[in-house]
Amino acid sequence: AGVRLCSAHVTDAAVAGQYSHCVLTNPANSGILCVVTNFLARPTGGAGGTWGIQAVSIAGGSAGYAVDSRWSAIGNLNGACLLQTYTNAVAVPGINGRWGAASSTSLTDRRRDIVLSPGYQLIVQTDTVNVGLTVEFDYYERPLLPSEAR
């Protein structure tokens, strides 16, 4: 199996009275470790936002793309992690980081890798209602080692 280098782009449109959320999920039965090396969050306006890691509470989604250059002749392959968006009138708890409001704000978290074990997800959300959000995730997927299995 080996390591799959992946990239994903997801956009959640603004909805009146709702927070926008973009989610990268490592499904509970994936058998892989998802390591997010970078993400870029861009709200549609000058809103701030937050990001957090939590046990999977938002199920479903569509697969991201593995864009490993070693597979260039094959084209894009689906990765094991799932992407989704949703809007909700309530902000998600369990926030690990934040970015402040400013015109054309972008958040890039490069201070450390974010590791998603099977059954966990990374949620990026706006901290203002009625603001859309686009997030680009760069990550890799690799098989779990025996010592990492839960």
Side-chain angles (χ1 to χ4, degrees):
V3 173
R4 285 186 290 232
L5 302 177
C6 303
S7 181
H9 172 97
V10 62
T11 298
D12 192 18
V15 175
Q18 305 280 302
Y19 295 94
S20 293
H21 303 77
C22 295
V23 183
L24 177 66
T25 299
N26 185 358
N29 61 352
S30 69
I32 60 123
L33 200 64
C34 175
V35 181
V36 181
T37 56
N38 190 35
F39 68 88
L40 176 66
R42 294 188 311 266
T44 57
T50 56
W51 62 270
I53 301 166
Q54 68 176 33
V56 172
S57 62
I58 302 121
S62 59
Y65 291 106
V67 292
D68 194 318
S69 61
R70 295 170 293 185
W71 299 329
S72 60
I74 299 172
N76 289 338
L77 304 171
N78 286 338
C81 290
L82 302 176
L83 300 166
Q84 68 176 195
T85 64
Y86 73 99
T87 55
N88 194 323
V90 178
V92 175
I95 297 304
N96 300 108
R98 154 174 305 285
W99 78 94
S103 180
S104 302
T105 298
S106 292
L107 164 71
T108 301
D109 191 272
R110 294 178 188 228
R111 293 170 293 169
R112 62 192 171 279
D113 290 346
I114 299 168
V115 179
L116 300 176
S117 298
Y120 285 84
Q121 57 195 177
L122 172 59
I123 298 176
V124 181
Q125 69 182 27
T126 59
D127 64 2
T128 305
V129 296
N130 197 28
V131 173
L133 180 64
T134 297
V135 180
E136 298 171 17
F137 298 100
D138 292 323
Y139 59 100
Y140 63 88
E141 301 173 348
R142 68 159 175 80
L144 282 173
L145 300 174
S147 62
E148 296 169 331
R150 294 180 182 224

